[in-house]
Amino acid sequence: MLHAAVLLPFLAAFFIPFIYRGVKQVHLGWFVLAVPILLFGYFLTFINGVLKGVHTLKTFEWIPSLGVNVTFFIDGLGLFFALLITGIGSLVVLYSIYYLSKAEKLGHFYVYLLLFMGAMLGVVLSDNLFVLYTFWELTSISSFLLIGYWYQREKSTSGALKSMVITVFGGLAMLGGFLLMSDITGTTSIRGIIENADLIVNSPLFTFILILVLLGAFTKSAQFPFHTWLPDAMEAPTPVSAFLHSATMVKAGIYLVARLSLVFAGTDLFFLIVSGFGLLTLCWGSYMAVRKTDLKAILAYSTISQLGMIMAMLGFGTKAAILAAVFHILNHATFKGSLFMVAGIIDHETGTRDIRRLGGLFTFMPITATLALIGTFSMAGFPLPILNGFLSKEMFFKSSLHFEHASPIVEAVSPFFPYFAVGGSIFTFIYSVMIFFRTFTGKQRDTLEKQPHEAPIGMLISPMILVALVVIIAIIPDTFGHLLLAPMVDSVTNLVVDPHIKFWHGLYNPELYMSLAVLIFGTLLYMTRTKWVRIYDVLPGKMSAAKVFDALMNGMVKGSEKVTNIYMTGSLRHYLVYILTFFIALLAITMSVTGGFTLSFDDLAPIALPEVMIAVVMAVAAFGTIFMNNRIAAILVLGIVGYGLSLLFVFFRAPDLALTQLIVETVTVALFLLCFYHLPDLDKEKSSSGTKVVNWVISISVGVIVTLIGIASHSTKMFEPISDYFIKNSYKLGGGDNIVNVILVDFRGLDTMLEILVLGLAAIGIFTMIKLRPGKKGGNE
Amino acid sequence: MTSLLSTVSTICIIVIAISTLFLLYRAIKGPSNPDRAVALDTIGINLMAIAGILAIKLETQYFNDIILLIGILAFIGTVAIAKFLEKGVIIERNRD
């Protein structure tokens, strides 16, 4: 049943194109809508079990020999994310029905969306590391497809490419971490790894594992400095931005850190990296968001900073911090989803998302404005107890003040954390307020392409539900705390917490003052923002992660082009130099390391004078060939070497070889003469003295090496030769006296057959090369 | 084999080898390609002689094929080279 549930989106995605072709009258989204609603209902039924501590586990054997089985596992954390994915998924599909017109390629859109939904469910429910990784990459791919949905636009494709490069980079790093973890613990199950956490923490590879896994989580969840893909992913249709890039996919990294924090948490390294980068992301994201003028870009940076905040809390690792983190995951999904939908509505109804061109929309779009008001103020953590963002922000402040686990590093670093938290929150306040006031209040500009008006009710339903949830969660946080958050904290830390969330922490609590400080400083800074906005020319200035990324990509392309151009010169002479250099180096090193150069004079034959003379003739002729300036002369002198060789064969009593060598030599000389007619005269070699020296060194080294190996192989006889067998059996078994010929056609006939094949192919090749001349008619010259 | 025959054949091989060395000098030095071609042709004949004497020395009949073959090839090769030197081609195209 559980497997069927995860499989359902994929199955639906398979049938979508058929429905799209078949049913033209009804918007395709209505059919798709059934899937997430069904799944949402199905996952709701697990709440009871999870509350009682019952963890559902279903296994389907996939590759049992490698220990990779599709095991799905439902505990508090997995269930929460499954509900989030299917719940927000339903709302997004509903919203997209009104957002996307029927003229779009709806079939593509919903196939990608369903693929993504199924993959995401797989990520959060998998118990097997490698199944998790499979689904993880599937989310990257479907996200890539969704970002590039309007593939005619250059920005969409470049945004899609960027997100793909960064997330897949992280995904691969994560796979490395997973492999190390499963190797150390001997299991591929996440629960098994958590049980064996001490093996990992004590292993010498712990640092590597942690960094590799966190690379995966940080790239997916857009943590500094990998956040740069998220703003560019805003080229996707707004429902996609709302679903993937605020509520679900970017939380996959959060999920991973939460899921594995039972393994890593408690170590200083985890604490430093996760909370450090989380806070950095929080501050940098909110700081950068203030600078943006595009609604979706502000929301993208806002998502980055909120994800940083959640990550930081996961890094703190205290009970209160984890509770605050999971609470904020829920809150962020609600208000950020609704804000993206609001941004989409504004875009849809006015034709622009640029806040410099918007203003005074309150009177035209009162409902949208109200939704935006609640959403933005909740995001800002405005101190009103009917906004869930306020509650989780208070808890964030509180958790940044108290740290449980004591180690010198933690004690040295943690006092600075509240300042970062407040600093990031001040900027969060500024941009949240900016989104609302600059869009909905002030003067109305008359530059808009459309006359602004209220959105259709269908488009408003989804953000309304989400905003309603914002308020409901804030009013009855305890209910949600008991139902969803407590089991989640339990899965993250193995601790039972009191999920009681207070509306009001009392007057004398530091976190309230922190909130008030955020409110006061935020308001002041917002009022005076024209005065200090120049700071952006200084601090990000010309540096930003996007520019670094572009420079890296360009640098890699140009650098690899340069490197390739250095050695791929197109000159065969150079390639031959590489090949021979490696030949010399490898053989010389191997032979000298293994002591292969041996010399023994044991069974050498006596040398006769004629042999010496023939050798001298051949050597002189071979040497003479090099210095010939005339092609004909060169080939004639080379012919002497060939004839000398055949004479050596005669001396060494190999008549068959001598015969063949003679014929081949003659034919070769004749062939060379045939070719030379068509070639220009041989030029005097003009290469520089440097190249000449290199050529000499290389050729002499090759000669020396081959000679040494020849001598060495003669000096080391490890086995008796098998030729005695041929001598004894050539007549008995082969029926012939000529041993060479019996070997060629009888004992080792297969080689001969293939040599014949080679000759045949060469003949056919020559024939085709001469006859077939593309570009000329008739084939003949 | 009598020792006289052995000694004579050894002397013959050495003399022919020395003549081959001189031919080699001519083949490398030139000065013209016909010089080289003639030198190569004569080297071929010398090879026949060496193979023959060697057959006597080793008391074998298997080298007789080689002697004949060298004769044929040296002739064919020399004709080919001569034709190339004269006309620039070895196999002329049909003129029809």
Side-chain angles (χ1 to χ4, degrees), chain B residues 12 15 17 20 22 26 30 45 53 58-59 78-79 86 89 95:
Chain B
C12 287
V15 170
T20 312
F22 287 131
R26 184 48 59 204
I45 308 293
I53 296 166
L58 299 175
E59 295 180 49
T78 312
V79 168
E86 188 188 344
V89 289
R95 291 207 197 105

Side-chain angles (χ1 to χ4, degrees), chain A residues 210-283:
Chain A
L210 182 65
I211 289 173
L212 286 175
V213 171
L214 286 182
L215 261 181
F218 280 11
T219 49
K220 200 75 162 180
S221 281
Q223 299 294 298
F224 188 88
F226 306 109
H227 62 273
T228 171
W229 65 268
L230 189 61
D232 285 7
M234 290 302 130
E235 294 301 322
T238 304
V240 173
S241 310
F243 187 36
L244 274 68
H245 306 129
S246 72
T248 53
M249 188 177 92
V250 289
K251 294 212 174 84
I254 301 275
Y255 167 79
L256 190 76
V257 172
R259 178 57 90 198
L260 293 176
S261 69
L262 275 179
V263 180
F264 298 128
T267 58
D268 283 342
L269 196 62
F270 177 82
F271 173 82
L272 279 181
I273 296 180
V274 175
S275 49
F277 274 93
L279 284 174
L280 187 59
T281 313
L282 164 66
C283 296

